[in-house]
Amino acid sequence: MELHNVKAYYRQLVGSTHRVVRAVDGVGMTISEGEIIGIVGESGCGKSTLANVIMMNIRPPLTLVDGIVKLYSEGREAVDLQRLSREELRRRIWGKEVAIIPQAALNALMPTLKIRKIILDVMKSHDPDVDEDYAINTAVRRFRELGLPEYTVNMYPFELSGGMRQRVVISIANLLNPRLLIADEPTSALDVVTQKMVLKILMDIYSKNIIRSIVFISHDIATVRQIASRIVIMYAGKIVEEGSTEDVITHPLHPYTDGLMNSVLTPEDEVKRRGVRFIPGQPPDPSNPPPGCRFHPRCPYAMDRCRREEPRMVQIDGNRLVACWLYTSK
Amino acid sequence: MLKAENLVKIYETGFVRKRRITAVDNVSFDVKEGEVASLVGESGSGKTTTAKIVLRLLPPTSGSVSFKGRDVWKELKTREQLVDYWRKVHAVFQDPYASYNPFYTIDRVLKQALRLVGVDRNSEMERKLIEEALNYVGLSPEDVLGKYPHQLSGGQRQRIMIARCWLLKPNLIIADEPVSMIDASMRGAIIKLFMNLRDDYRTSIVFITHDLGLAYYVSDKIMVMFKGRIVDIGAPDEVVKHPQHEYTRKLLESVPTLYRKWRWV
Ligand SMILES: Nc1ncnc2c1ncn2[C@@H]1O[C@H](COP(=O)(O)OP(=O)(O)OP(=O)(O)O)[C@@H](O)[C@H]1O
Ligand SMILES: Nc1ncnc2c1ncn2[C@@H]1O[C@H](COP(=O)(O)OP(=O)(O)O)[C@@H](O)[C@H]1O
Ligand code: SF4
Ligand SMILES: [Mg+2]
Ligand SMILES: [Mg+2]
């Protein structure tokens, strides 16, 4: 999948003035087959909006202002998702090519519906004429692959333990073997023991080839590094750094990435030595971002140029990308 | 300062088939002046239930809580005694949003705190203290005063809750997952504010979290809770470097590490 210069804004009417929230503002990235990409950034930087753009699930007040989202498939012509109608997306793309586990979904299943009914609803949303037995059998097979007993389909969500519930949600999102799964902060609301279990389940469906690629979204770089092969760092609607997980962790380039790493509190000697730190200040108001580099009000290295001109993405060491004046010669 | 002895809480649920859940099972601990004691455990281990009993919000099935030598459940009776207790033993919750009334500006929570300590409405003193409190937590008054809770970030809302603590100067703060809904990038800032209160005013803190990594950096003492019981207790280095209980090890292994990648089997 390829994203080119994607801009997705929320347009709101506040009183009589239009407020435009530039949630995703010129993002380009490539998601390759077989890859697990981690997207890291603070709350409000546009991660969920980007997830919706990748799905092309765009509804007012969100509008796609600019950009291309291309989906490639083997032996077929590439599809420009932004040209498809919602109806076409639902029929051809969602669930089959690209699926999402929305933020906070792991704890949210309709409590009054049997799992069986939830499965049928999901399957019918893709194909209204789907055979019910076929649908349930598909689910049962998927459940078994993830270690859920067959009778789970006849239970209510509240009868399941936390771990079973998360397995059910992940199974249902992946019923149709999508090639790409987007997991939007799947672990952020969970305790660490459950977080690890969810990461394991995701690794499980990935290594069983039920899905081919994952976009894993989180504000916690320590969580992302456990699962992602490549990390994308987002700040105020833009990508500021991208690279292989090992490169980014061992040698972060962008001052914001450095700040994120420095604020993580894990029980490790490296962290103990540097002590409790944090990034000062707040992310900017996305309807009125600062000029120049959007990180400059919080950046310890900010120079004059940073306040005036926006840094462009540059390539470093072959396969690393960073948008920061520290890395631009001249 | 605070002593909890043999706390037990059994919830009874269900109308037809009664189910009994032992949420807290014979829990004892104490917190000294100026001490930060963490209560660490996974979801459902009984942390919040313990906190509610200590805060005199939920009666224990058995056991006792004493604060400065007085039995909190037996000896505090009048409305005044209770209000006084909640001023001295103050709670900060996980979701700072829930602590606000969405229809009022955030000024209100600060003004209400000042009423509790006897500062007059609309006085010069009120204005001055609010300003000082906000400065203490690293907020500038003109950025936040007059705003509604939804107009602020989670971090700002939690800072204002700490500003409220600064105004009340409680002896003990019970902080239930105060940073779990806050971005990793801001957690350190909030944690430092709690530490400042402890250093500047010898405030004791019960810090509740599921993250043993976090507890490692804030605590003088870590208490690991599992299925309603305290299974491990000790100084952070002892608990993290030499965990006594199987469960502590599991909890530790679940904390994602930055510099080491887990091996997926
Ligand atoms: N009002 C209630 N009625 C019945 N059972 C309850 C009630 N509140 C809590 N419980 C049960 O008591 C146990 C302990 O819950 P508690 O809220 O104290 O856990 P916790 O450690 O704070 O968890 P978390 O990390 O999810 O906040 C759980 O099994 C929970 O389901
Ligand atoms: N429905 C909406 N209407 C207006 N603004 C929105 C809406 N949803 C999100 N936003 C704004 O867009 C920005 C990016 O939001 P989001 O993509 O949810 O960020 P993240 O997932 O990184 O926390 C934020 O400033 C947020 O307030
Ligand atoms: S461009 Fe300037 S302000 Fe932005 S991150 Fe780089 S040094 Fe800091
Ligand atoms: Mg989000
Ligand atoms: Mg709790």
Side-chain angles (χ1 to χ4, degrees), chain A residues 42-43 191-193 196 199-200 219 223 225-226 249 263 266-268 270-272 276 278-279 281-282, chain B residues 42-43 153 156 183-186 188-189 192 210 216-217 237 251 253 256-262 264:
Chain A
E42 286 164 297
S43 160
D191 71 89
V192 286
V193 177
K196 186 162 186 179
L199 289 177
K200 270 207 177 110
H219 64 89
T223 304
R225 81 94 74 231
Q226 302 302 339
I249 298 288
S263 38
T266 61
E268 293 174 277
E270 294 89 338
V271 175
K272 173 130 202 191
V276 177
F278 54 90
I279 305 180
Q282 301 276 333
Chain B
E42 68 188 69
S43 188
S153 71
Q156 287 174 317
D183 277 340
S185 58
M186 308 242 181
K192 278 204 168 155
H210 59 84
Y216 182 56
Y217 291 100
D237 273 321
L251 212 49
E253 281 164 14
T257 43
L258 180 60
Y259 295 99
R260 284 151 200 83
K261 186 171 158 58
W262 287 335
W264 296 102

Side-chain angles (χ1 to χ4, degrees), chain B residues 57-233:
Chain B
L57 297 174
L58 181 77
T61 308
S62 64
S64 71
V65 179
S66 70
F67 176 69
K68 295 193 163 178
R70 291 185 80 183
D71 189 311
V72 169
W73 280 97
K74 296 217 176 79
E75 290 177 49
L76 305 184
K77 295 205 176 75
T78 65
R79 181 76 205 153
E80 285 90 69
Q81 284 172 330
L82 281 175
V83 169
D84 184 57
Y85 181 65
W86 288 323
R87 188 168 86 71
K88 290 184 176 137
V89 179
H90 193 67
V92 173
F93 293 107
Q94 171 174 25
D95 180 4
Y97 194 71
S99 311
Y100 294 90
N101 182 329
F103 300 113
Y104 290 96
T105 66
I106 60 96
D107 308 21
R108 190 171 130 113
V109 297
L110 298 174
K111 289 184 175 168
Q112 279 175 334
L114 285 171
R115 290 301 92 74
L116 285 175
V117 294
V119 172
D120 288 337
R121 199 183 297 272
N122 298 328
S123 60
E124 178 59 18
M125 188 69 158
E126 178 184 73
R127 198 192 57 76
K128 204 173 129 266
L129 283 172
I130 287 182
E131 207 158 283
E132 245 180 278
L134 290 173
N135 285 332
Y136 188 81
V137 298
L139 291 173
S140 45
E142 61 273 20
D143 283 352
V144 294
L145 288 179
K147 294 235 166 102
Y148 289 89
H150 72 266
Q151 295 176 302
L152 301 176
S153 71
Q156 287 174 317
R157 288 194 290 260
Q158 202 60 295
R159 276 172 200 264
I160 291 168
M161 280 296 136
I162 300 174
R164 187 179 150 89
C165 288
W166 183 87
L167 291 170
L168 292 170
K169 305 275 182 333
N171 301 110
L172 174 69
I173 295 173
I174 311 251
D176 191 354
E177 302 272 10
V179 297
S180 67
M181 292 179 73
I182 289 172
D183 277 340
S185 58
M186 308 242 181
R187 286 183 182 167
I190 301 294
I191 280 173
K192 278 204 168 155
L193 292 175
F194 281 112
M195 298 299 113
N196 291 348
L197 279 177
R198 191 271 300 270
D199 295 342
D200 297 345
Y201 305 101
R202 299 207 30 88
T203 313
S204 311
I205 298 170
V206 173
F207 190 92
I208 297 178
T209 177
H210 59 84
D211 183 348
L212 193 48
L214 214 54
Y216 182 56
Y217 291 100
V218 301
S219 327
D220 301 308
K221 174 164 83 186
I222 293 180
M223 306 180 282
V224 178
M225 242 182 134
F226 178 53
K227 294 193 173 161
R229 290 172 171 270
I230 292 181
V231 296
D232 219 338
I233 187 163

Side-chain angles (χ1 to χ4, degrees), chain A residues 47-48 103 184-185:
Chain A
K47 304 181 297 295
S48 297
Q103 192 159 356
D184 187 5
E185 306 238 22

Side-chain angles (χ1 to χ4, degrees), chain A residues 136-148 167-168 170-178 205 208-211:
Chain A
I136 295 298
N137 284 335
T138 310
V140 165
R141 218 174 315 123
R142 178 67 12 101
F143 279 14
R144 228 184 278 128
E145 284 170 312
L146 289 187
L148 285 166
R167 262 167 236 270
V168 166
I170 295 175
S171 300
I172 291 177
N174 295 297
L175 280 180
L176 302 173
N177 296 23
I205 52 170
K208 289 191 169 129
N209 259 323
I210 294 168
I211 50 176

